[in-house]
Amino acid sequence: MSHRVNDDSSSTWETTPPAGDGPAEPTSRFSTPSSRSRSSSNGEDGSTPRFSKKKPKKKQPFWKELLVIFSVALLLTVVIQTFIARVFVIPSASMESTLHGCTGCVNDKVLVEKITYLFGDPRPGDVIVFRGPPNWTGGKQPPGFVQGTLQDLGSMVNLSEPSGTDFIKRVIAVGGQTVECCDEQGRVLVDGKPLDEPYLNFGPGPKQQEQFEKVTVPAGKLWVMGDNRNNSSDSRKHGDPTPADGAIPVDNVVGKARVIVIPVGRWGTISDHNPQTGGR
C-alpha cells in the first residue's frame, strides 16, 4: 500500500512497505524545483560547468587617446577662462611700475579672476581688466568668442598679438562720485578729498599730474586711471563728447587682476590699495 501527498511546494512524500515480514519502515524522497535546478546546472554527471571567457577589449590607437585628452583640456580651458579666471597680457606702459608693459621689456601676464564681481561691483583701488567702449577703441570691435579665446591663448605664448580692445587700469572713483585734479599738493580729489596713492609712478620727471575739471561719474560707470599717471591714456583722455564719457561701464569689466604669473621673477599679488581710505 502506498500513500502520496502533493503540496504547493511540489514536494513528494512516498512510503513503501519493505520486503519481508518485518514492520514497515518509511522511506522518503524529497525534491524541490530549486534542488532540481542546482542538479541540472551542475550537469548530469556532477561535473563543474564550463564558462566562456570574454574577449579582451581592443586597445584604442594612441592618436585617439591623445585627441580625447586634448579635447577635454580645451573644454576645461574654455570653461575656466569664461567663468572663473583668465590670463591676460596687455602691453601698455600705463600701469608701470605696478605692471610691466614697457617697450623692450617682458610684458607681465596677469591672472584675472571673475568670481569677485559676481557678488559686487569693483571698488576704488581695484586693478581691473575691461572691454574698451567705442570711444576707447576708436570703433574697433572686439573679436568673437572663439577668435578672442584663441587669440588670447596665442598671446600667452607669444604666438599672436592681444586683441587690442582690452585695457587694464585702476579704479579711482565709482558712479555718483566727483573726481578732479588737483589740490595744492598735486593730488587727485574724489568728493573733495585728496587720494592716498602710493602706487603712483612719475618717472624721472617732476611729480605733477595733468589737471582736469571736476567730473561727476555717471551711475553704473567707473573712473579709471593708470598708475603711470603722466603716461596713461585713461578716463581723462576718452571723454568724448563730454568729460563724463571717459568713464567705463561696469558691465564692461572682465575681472579683477590678482596675480602676476609671468615672468617668474616678478611673480606676486597685485595691490588693491584703496586710495580713498588710505588702503583700509
Side-chain angles (χ1 to χ4, degrees):
M1 174 180 178
S2 64
H3 179 69
R4 178 177 297 175
V5 179
N6 293 329
D7 59 16
D8 291 339
S9 62
S10 301
S11 63
T12 303
W13 177 269
E14 183 176 320
T15 303
T16 306
D21 298 332
E25 295 289 340
T27 61
S28 64
R29 182 172 69 245
F30 183 78
S31 62
T32 63
S34 60
S35 62
R36 288 195 297 272
S37 175
R38 287 194 297 271
S39 299
S40 61
S41 65
N42 290 332
E44 291 295 333
D45 56 356
S47 61
T48 303
R50 295 180 179 179
F51 296 96
S52 59
K53 294 183 178 181
K54 293 183 178 180
K55 295 182 179 179
K57 290 184 178 181
K58 188 177 180 181
K59 190 175 181 180
Q60 294 290 338
F62 175 73
W63 68 267
K64 286 188 176 181
E65 295 182 358
L66 190 63
L67 182 61
V68 171
I69 293 172
F70 176 79
S71 299
V72 171
L74 182 61
L75 178 61
L76 288 175
T77 299
V78 172
V79 170
I80 290 172
Q81 289 207 100
T82 302
F83 300 106
I84 302 176
R86 186 172 175 180
V87 175
F88 278 84
V89 53
I90 302 175
S92 169
S94 68
M95 287 298 292
E96 286 279 355
S97 57
T98 302
L99 301 175
H100 275 180
C102 55
T103 303
C105 67
V106 178
N107 294 314
D108 284 346
K109 294 176 176 63
V110 296
L111 181 67
V112 176
E113 64 92 357
K114 304 181 177 184
I115 304 298
T116 297
Y117 298 144
L118 294 178
F119 305 99
D121 292 337
R123 298 172 20 175
D126 288 359
V127 176
I128 61 171
V129 168
F130 58 93
R131 298 182 302 274
N135 58 325
W136 281 66
T137 64
K140 182 180 179 181
Q141 296 297 318
F145 176 75
V146 175
Q147 180 185 352
T149 299
L150 293 175
Q151 194 168 15
D152 288 335
L153 289 173
S155 67
M156 285 191 290
V157 292
N158 298 323
L159 294 179
S160 66
E161 292 295 325
S163 65
T165 58
D166 295 322
F167 299 85
I168 186 165
K169 296 286 186 287
R170 191 180 296 272
V171 178
I172 300 300
V174 299
Q177 293 187 312
T178 61
V179 57
E180 61 184 307
C181 188
C182 300
D183 67 1
E184 294 180 355
Q185 298 181 40
R187 296 173 297 184
V188 172
L189 303 172
V190 172
D191 291 338
K193 298 179 181 179
L195 299 183
D196 174 45
E197 299 188 276
Y199 44 73
L200 285 184
N201 172 31
F202 291 100
K207 294 183 178 181
Q208 296 179 352
Q209 301 187 53
E210 180 181 343
Q211 296 192 11
F212 59 91
E213 298 297 324
K214 182 185 294 186
V215 178
T216 299
V217 183
K221 293 194 174 185
L222 305 168
W223 188 268
V224 295
M225 299 172 74
D227 291 355
N228 192 0
R229 193 57 51 86
N230 291 335
N231 189 22
S232 174
S233 180
D234 47 42
S235 290
R236 300 169 296 173
K237 307 291 185 180
H238 296 287
D240 184 26
T242 67
D245 291 314
I248 60 109
V250 172
D251 291 342
N252 282 33
V253 176
V254 175
K256 182 176 181 178
R258 289 285 191 179
V259 179
I260 300 171
V261 293
I262 295 177
V264 176
R266 280 180 50 77
W267 188 92
T269 57
I270 299 170
S271 171
D272 58 358
H273 176 92
N274 188 330
Q276 295 187 19
T277 60
R280 296 185 298 274

